[in-house]
Amino acid sequence: MSPKKARLEQIQRVYVAMSGGVDSSVAVALLKKQGFDVYGVFMQGWMNPRFECAWKEDRQDAARVASILDIPFRTLDFSREYYERVISYLINEYKSGRTPNPDVMCNKEIKFGLFYKWAMTQGADYIATGHYAKKEGDGLFIAKDKNKDQTYFLWTLTPEIISHTLFPIGEYTKPKIRECARAFRLPTAEKKDSQGVCFVGEGSMEDFLKDHIATTKGDIMTSSGKKVGEHDGLAYYTIGQRHGIGVAGGGAVYYVAKKDSKTSTLIVAEGENDPILYKKEISFHSANWLSVKHPMFDKLFECEARIRYRAPLAQCTVFLDVGRLSGRVVFDPPQRAIAPGQSIVFYKNDQMLGGGVID
């Protein structure tokens, strides 16, 4: 076998999830520069027909980047699966009075579920995404740009999936990514980051939920038992929410603290220091650990946890139940506005250990 042919056979194939944004665009460019056999893939999710969505423009941007970088490009239509696995989950969670995280479920079911499995059947050695996360071996670590770190959304991954996944931009800051995009002359270099939830488009989450959930109006009560207004439906409110509650007058500042589904009562905190907003102990379920062989995984261990995206890491002690799929967490100090249904993600020395769903 000639040396040239041997080198060609050693080239590893990677399928990159391209969203049409600058991050995944640069991920493609970096991988090609590193010598990988790169394929670009745009995934079409479910879009609410009532609201305008930019998915066609995003797909066009992804295709333009692929053309400039001279790589194969294709679109996968996961709209039906997205509705069945992500949207239905979201609706059912809101109906139950919880606040789900669609990004976590999208990663689990779509990007690192359907897309990962599809890519493996195509002969891929790896898949890659534009997530801000660092990989060392089969472990995930907080990205260099801590303000952009997205490991919070990746706690459902398994060591096997991680071993076949690349995160090319984890060692870069956002300004450096834009600088790279300009150097590669990519049309997405100055494109703004997407805001909000992709399937809602230009609408609001409340508008979306009103189309899918029949709610019951009820009273808004303070933690001291005073009625201060009426709400349109518990599903439309999030723990910790301050604006748009519908309580007027008096100069008081209220925060959503609790949702009582049995009485259809929305309980609000009177100011951000109201004790009802804070919890020292919570429980979680549906846990996933990236390595149960880690020596710290005993009946209890100390680490740091994040209770929502971009929340500061908080010191805590974790008490695991039998089977390690559920447990409870004691924080020091107590944490503010913990929302059932959101993810709690655990870290030690910047390594993401795993996570679960807050009860």
Side-chain angles (χ1 to χ4, degrees):
M1 183 183 296
S2 68
K4 181 178 180 181
K5 186 174 182 181
R7 285 198 302 272
L8 287 174
E9 290 186 352
Q10 291 173 5
I11 295 176
Q12 294 179 306
R13 178 176 297 181
V14 54
Y15 283 79
V16 187
M18 299 183 68
S19 66
V22 64
D23 296 328
S24 59
S25 299
V26 172
V28 170
L30 291 172
L31 289 169
K32 182 172 182 183
K33 185 177 180 180
Q34 291 167 16
F36 286 95
D37 181 20
V38 183
Y39 289 68
V41 180
F42 180 86
M43 285 172 275
Q44 180 184 340
W46 181 83
M47 300 299 168
N48 192 328
R50 282 196 55 189
F51 304 111
E52 186 68 25
C53 181
W55 78 266
K56 292 181 180 179
E57 291 81 1
D58 290 338
R59 181 193 176 282
Q60 184 178 47
D61 286 341
R64 290 169 63 200
V65 169
S67 177
I68 289 172
L69 295 175
D70 192 25
I71 64 167
F73 176 81
R74 67 176 297 172
T75 299
L76 298 179
D77 185 354
F78 289 144
S79 54
R80 177 178 59 83
E81 294 89 344
Y82 192 96
Y83 187 88
E84 292 173 349
R85 303 186 187 192
V86 180
I87 302 297
S88 295
Y89 159 81
L90 179 140
I91 292 171
N92 289 331
E93 284 291 282
Y94 273 111
K95 282 182 178 178
S96 300
R98 295 183 288 270
T99 305
N101 194 308
D103 292 314
V104 171
M105 190 57 64
C106 176
N107 283 330
K108 178 182 179 181
E109 297 290 343
I110 307 300
K111 292 187 180 73
F112 298 95
L114 294 173
F115 172 59
Y116 170 79
K117 292 175 182 177
W118 174 86
M120 292 299 108
T121 65
Q122 302 300 306
D125 295 290
Y126 300 99
I127 65 166
T129 70
H131 284 98
Y132 283 87
K134 290 196 298 186
K135 171 184 168 181
E136 295 181 16
D138 294 342
L140 287 184
F141 292 77
I142 292 176
K144 180 175 181 178
D145 191 334
K146 289 180 166 53
N147 291 324
K148 287 292 184 180
D149 175 66
Q150 293 173 302
T151 53
Y152 177 85
F153 301 116
L154 302 174
W155 65 266
T156 62
L157 273 60
T158 65
E160 178 185 358
I161 292 174
I162 294 172
S163 69
H164 292 284
T165 302
L166 302 175
F167 299 99
I169 68 171
E171 296 284 357
Y172 291 77
T173 64
K174 185 70 178 195
K176 184 63 177 179
I177 287 297
R178 293 209 180 272
E179 183 180 321
C180 288
R182 297 184 194 105
F184 286 121
R185 298 186 177 182
L186 303 180
T188 55
E190 310 304 330
K191 187 174 181 179
K192 294 182 179 179
D193 292 343
S194 59
Q195 301 292 327
V197 183
C198 58
F199 55 82
V200 171
E202 296 298 323
S204 67
M205 180 60 75
E206 182 175 340
D207 292 333
F208 170 79
L209 293 174
K210 284 180 177 178
D211 287 341
H212 294 84
I213 299 177
T215 60
T216 302
K217 294 184 177 182
D219 294 334
I220 301 177
M221 306 289 293
T222 67
S223 56
S224 60
K226 176 184 176 183
K227 181 178 177 179
V228 290
E230 295 183 349
H231 66 79
D232 294 327
L234 295 179
Y236 307 143
Y237 301 87
T238 302
I239 303 299
Q241 178 180 336
R242 173 184 174 184
H243 300 289
I245 299 176
V247 180
V253 178
Y254 297 104
Y255 297 82
V256 174
K258 185 178 179 181
K259 298 189 285 187
D260 189 335
S261 299
K262 292 182 180 179
T263 62
S264 191
T265 302
L266 186 70
I267 302 170
V268 294
E270 301 177 77
E272 61 180 347
N273 295 320
D274 191 326
I276 197 174
L277 260 184
Y278 294 81
K279 289 184 182 296
K280 185 175 180 63
E281 182 175 332
I282 66 168
S283 58
F284 64 92
H285 65 276
S286 302
N288 177 63
W289 305 105
L290 297 191
S291 176
V292 294
K293 295 180 181 179
H294 196 291
M296 69 183 295
F297 285 113
D298 204 342
K299 291 182 179 179
L300 67 90
F301 59 89
E302 294 182 352
C303 64
E304 296 175 304
R306 182 166 279 145
I307 58 170
R308 59 182 169 273
Y309 180 48
R310 290 185 177 172
L313 288 172
Q315 293 291 331
C316 66
T317 303
V318 181
F319 298 83
L320 293 176
D321 295 334
V322 176
R324 296 171 172 166
L325 297 180
S326 60
R328 61 188 179 92
V329 182
V330 178
F331 291 101
D332 184 22
Q335 295 299 292
R336 179 181 179 276
I338 299 178
Q342 283 287 297
S343 295
I344 180 168
V345 183
F346 303 100
Y347 297 84
K348 188 74 170 183
N349 299 325
D350 282 353
Q351 182 177 4
M352 195 263 280
L353 305 175
V357 179
I358 299 171
D359 283 331

